[in-house]
Amino acid sequence: TWKPDAYSEAPVPTATLLAAGLLNCALYGLLRFHALAAVAVGAPFVSRLLLIFGLASMALAALFVVGQRNLRRLLAYSSIDHAGIIVAAVGIGGPLASLGAMLHMTFHAVTKPVLFFAVGAIQQRFGTASLGAIRGGLLRTMPATSLFLLGAALAVTASPPFAIFQSEYTILSGAVAAGRTWAAALFLACTVTVFAGFLQKLTHLLLAPADEPGERREADRFSLGAMAVAGALAFGLGFSLPWPVGDLIRQSAAIVGGPW
């Protein structure tokens, strides 16, 4: 419940660190506690608890994404959704879902900063993050920023060929392989709902006709450079994962869900 308020009020660099860094730190602590609790009280109980809370977080986030009218809070509920995805994957268990969870932690941390940089540039120009206050037609007034925003939104909602599509597909495959078809169905429904919610918001923001012609004024070069660097990394990981990173991810997945 604190995350939407923090993301909407914090400076963009701070909110980016919350989404890309501290979220993974919190999940790391949860994973360490999960390993101990599974031994103490039994893996089935802990896995079932994580699966329920993860899917509940996804469902709650999906509902709020659909009705959200603030760009910064939209990103907050997106992060709640992704945290739920990772927790649900750990709850599903097994080598495949655990591998998907570790991949997702990596890919989300790389992709989310692009969204925050783009939304921050838009908020800086219009003085607000409210979708109702920002004129439509952003693709004409801030074309480069709009393209980064659109690409990052497609990436974070698991559109191929971006990396998050691969991690979510791996988790979904792990759920089916583990016989958790009901969890896979709910997982897929929440993912599609979040995608539709993002698409509806971006359609209005980027393509809707503006109330009055706006001056074409792009974000500064430093902001565009940050978007380009983070965007290139996020896009590149969809095609190639460096072997040292991949090896660490596989080792982490083996610790969490057992070896292949």
Side-chain angles (χ1 to χ4, degrees), residues 227-253:
M227 294 180 217
V229 172
L233 182 59
F235 185 74
L237 286 178
F239 296 91
S240 177
L241 187 65
W243 72 263
V245 178
D247 191 50
L248 287 173
I249 289 174
R250 284 188 290 271
Q251 290 180 38
S252 302

Side-chain angles (χ1 to χ4, degrees), residues 15 28 40-41 64 93-94 99 104 114 123 150 155-156 179 181 183-184 193-194 200 202 206 229 232 239 241 250:
Y28 171 72
V41 300
F64 277 96
L99 176 63
H104 203 85
V114 189
Q123 183 179 8
L150 178 60
V156 87
T181 52
T193 303
V194 170
Q200 188 270 331
L202 291 180
L206 302 180
V229 172
F239 296 91
L241 187 65
R250 284 188 290 271

Side-chain angles (χ1 to χ4, degrees), residues 56 77 80 83 94 119 121 126 134-135 148 156 164 166 170-171 192-193 239 245:
Y77 285 111
I80 293 174
V119 169
F126 292 98
I134 299 175
R135 297 188 299 269
F148 280 118
V156 87
I164 288 181
Q166 300 177 25
T170 303
I171 295 169
V192 171
T193 303
F239 296 91
V245 178

Side-chain angles (χ1 to χ4, degrees), residues 98-108 163 166-167 170 241 246 249:
S98 299
L99 176 63
M102 299 301 105
L103 287 170
H104 203 85
M105 288 177 68
T106 305
F107 296 154
H108 177 260
Q166 300 177 25
S167 60
T170 303
L241 187 65
I249 289 174

Side-chain angles (χ1 to χ4, degrees), residues 172-190:
L172 193 62
S173 300
V176 174
R180 308 280 187 118
T181 52
W182 65 273
L186 185 56
F187 183 98
L188 190 59
C190 292

Side-chain angles (χ1 to χ4, degrees), residues 45-141:
F45 172 78
V46 179
S47 296
R48 185 163 54 248
L49 196 65
L50 289 177
L51 181 58
I52 291 172
F53 274 100
L55 292 175
S57 296
M58 292 180 65
L60 181 68
L63 293 175
F64 277 96
V65 163
V66 170
Q68 193 51 239
R69 301 296 299 167
N70 183 286
L71 274 172
R72 296 281 293 274
R73 296 179 75 88
L74 180 68
L75 301 190
Y77 285 111
S78 169
S79 291
I80 293 174
D81 171 60
H82 286 284
I85 288 172
I86 297 165
V87 171
V90 176
I92 290 168
L96 195 57
S98 299
L99 176 63
M102 299 301 105
L103 287 170
H104 203 85
M105 288 177 68
T106 305
F107 296 154
H108 177 260
V110 172
T111 305
K112 207 54 168 287
V114 189
L115 266 178
F116 273 100
F117 295 154
V119 169
I122 294 169
Q123 183 179 8
Q124 188 174 28
R125 168 167 181 180
F126 292 98
T128 179
S130 171
L131 286 167
I134 299 175
R135 297 188 299 269
L138 201 65
L139 195 60
R140 293 185 292 275
T141 57

Side-chain angles (χ1 to χ4, degrees), residues 30-43 45-46:
L30 187 63
L31 290 174
R32 289 185 66 94
F33 186 78
H34 165 262
L36 296 174
V39 175
V41 300
F45 172 78
V46 179

